[in-house]
Amino acid sequence: MSGTGDIFGLFPAGTTRDADGTLVVGGCRLDDLAREYGTPVMVVAEGALRDRARAYREKLAARWPASQVVFASKAFACTAVQRLMVSEGLWIDVAGGGEIVTALAAGADPATLVLHGNAKTTEEIELAVRSGVGTVVVDNVDDIDRLEATVPPGRVQGCLVRVIPGVQASTHAAHATGHEGVKFGLSPAVARRAAARIEASPRLRMDGLHTHVGSQILVADELAAAVAPLAALGRYPVYDLGGGLGARYTYTDHPPSLDDYLDALIGAARAHLPGDARILIEPGRSMVADNAVTVYTVTTIKPSATPAAPTFVAVDGGMGDNMEVALVGQRFEATIADRVGGGEPVTVVGRHCESGDVLSTDVPLRDPKVGDLLVVPVTGAYCFTMSNNYNGARRIPVVFADGGRARLVVRREEWSDLLVRDVAG
Ligand SMILES: Cc1ncc(COP(=O)(O)O)c(C=O)c1O
């Protein structure tokens, strides 16, 4: 699919171009940031991210006052992002022990953490209970056994039960989590029995039900369709309706607006859920995706060898810092930092030893040259958290840019970091 839209529209709100055409994100020229922090570098538009968090909270509260936005930190689990969410009054969804550790380091009140995981270990349950994590989402009956064995006498652990709603979302198969046969959650009949066990336990409190139909969902009604199956399981004080709203990665993506999504979701809640219940939602991708960009340096250009072969523009990153293409075939657009728009289609590839290490196919770039800065927008979701050291790549830094000032919030790995865990001597 060839990129033929206005790539500028995929950048964080407030992005501009300087007089020489260079992109300016969070008030900072991307070439200045590349000079200061090196490439590849992820640049987060801090103000735009804060505005999004605030909009989520205010728009949900306007529709359902007894509500809470819980940031799905798996989408971007560094302390700077988690701290920003906490400062905007959001709770934090943590998927496993590591995200508990970073959320607590970010200053989150443990009572506002919601622990997920289809295969929580005893160590993670113990960490959660010891840390005072407010809510554990029970995903299997072994979670209940582990919690009962861990919660000390005199303490009561709040629980939600994750229910499979039987909703097949029209997203990539790897992103769909709401249909029958999925590994997450419990079928309604088993969920009912799990809820009864929790209700009977002196150490556990049955707060309510949870569901999540998947990620990168572009149809609001599919997200809203999970509400009625929860209601069929009975009245509870809390219903956590998960995340899943899609982001706009390409010109052909048209995700529902935040208003349209919340109208659909809360419309279903009004139709099916008790009016005095508390509603939680867990956005990840739609919170962070379009509020960050990744800046690379073009390292080499391999001109098209035959009429059928593309011109390859290779950069100094790739699947080490962006697994979304290889994992689910997500399309990204790209541009040269100071020559936005126009140009001939090329294939942008990374530096890793896989033919699948492609950042963007058939993407128009204007006169790309070795040494140019190449920018990929919409990299804020799941790129940081899935980054890796394949081919000995050092994981890339994260810079917050706001009002023309930039600050490093995650440093680039050093070569020596690659040896830190290697204890063979
Ligand atoms: C339980 C749960 N909640 C929330 C999310 C966040 O989803 P998204 O990033 O698509 O909003 C996920 C991720 O898939 C999830 O597994």
Side-chain angles (χ1 to χ4, degrees), residues 72 74 93 116 162 210 212 214-216 243-245 282-285 382:
K74 68 198 75 178
D93 151 354
H116 284 282
R162 180 163 178 168
H210 171 277
H212 174 68
S215 198
Q216 187 55 11
L245 177 61
E282 299 172 336
R285 188 182 299 276
Y382 298 97

Side-chain angles (χ1 to χ4, degrees), residues 8 11-16 24-27 48:
F8 207 59
F11 276 74
T15 298
T16 57
V24 178
V25 173

Side-chain angles (χ1 to χ4, degrees), residues 359-378:
L359 283 168
S360 192
T361 52
D362 211 10
V363 63
L365 294 183
R366 179 141 49 102
D367 191 20
K369 292 190 282 293
V370 171
D372 276 344
L373 296 176
L374 180 135
V375 192
V376 176
V378 204

Side-chain angles (χ1 to χ4, degrees), residues 67-73 82-83 85-95 99-100 102-116 128 131-137 157-158 160 205 207 240 278 280-282:
S67 60
Q68 181 62 50
V69 180
V70 184
F71 172 56
S73 67
Q82 289 173 320
R83 189 172 292 119
M85 298 299 163
V86 169
S87 73
E88 288 300 325
L90 273 57
W91 290 9
I92 307 287
D93 151 354
V94 286
E99 290 177 3
I100 295 178
T102 53
L104 294 178
D109 174 353
T112 67
L113 300 187
V114 179
L115 175 66
H116 284 282
S131 307
V133 165
T135 304
V136 174
V137 180
Q157 176 63 55
L160 301 174
R205 191 183 62 238
D207 287 339
D240 182 336
R278 185 165 210 204
L280 275 48
I281 61 170
E282 299 172 336

Side-chain angles (χ1 to χ4, degrees), residues 97-171:
E99 290 177 3
I100 295 178
V101 169
T102 53
L104 294 178
D109 174 353
T112 67
L113 300 187
V114 179
L115 175 66
H116 284 282
N118 72 301
K120 302 177 198 73
T121 63
T122 300
E123 185 188 19
E124 288 173 317
I125 294 273
E126 286 172 355
L127 175 64
V129 170
R130 198 168 58 243
S131 307
V133 165
T135 304
V136 174
V137 180
V138 166
D139 195 285
N140 53 66
V141 289
D142 296 300
D143 278 351
I144 304 177
D145 293 341
R146 287 194 172 94
L147 282 167
E148 286 193 312
T150 306
V151 177
R155 281 262 310 273
V156 175
Q157 176 63 55
C159 297
L160 301 174
V161 171
R162 180 163 178 168
V163 180
I164 302 173
V167 174
Q168 178 69 63
S170 52
T171 184

Side-chain angles (χ1 to χ4, degrees), residues 25-30 32-34 36-37 41-46 398-409:
V25 173
C28 298
R29 285 175 60 103
L30 292 182
D32 287 345
L33 298 183
E36 182 159 1
Y37 301 104
V41 59
M42 182 180 288
V43 179
V44 175
E46 183 180 2
V398 179
V399 170
F400 270 28
D402 193 29
R405 300 168 84 105
R407 65 192 169 102
L408 186 67
V409 300

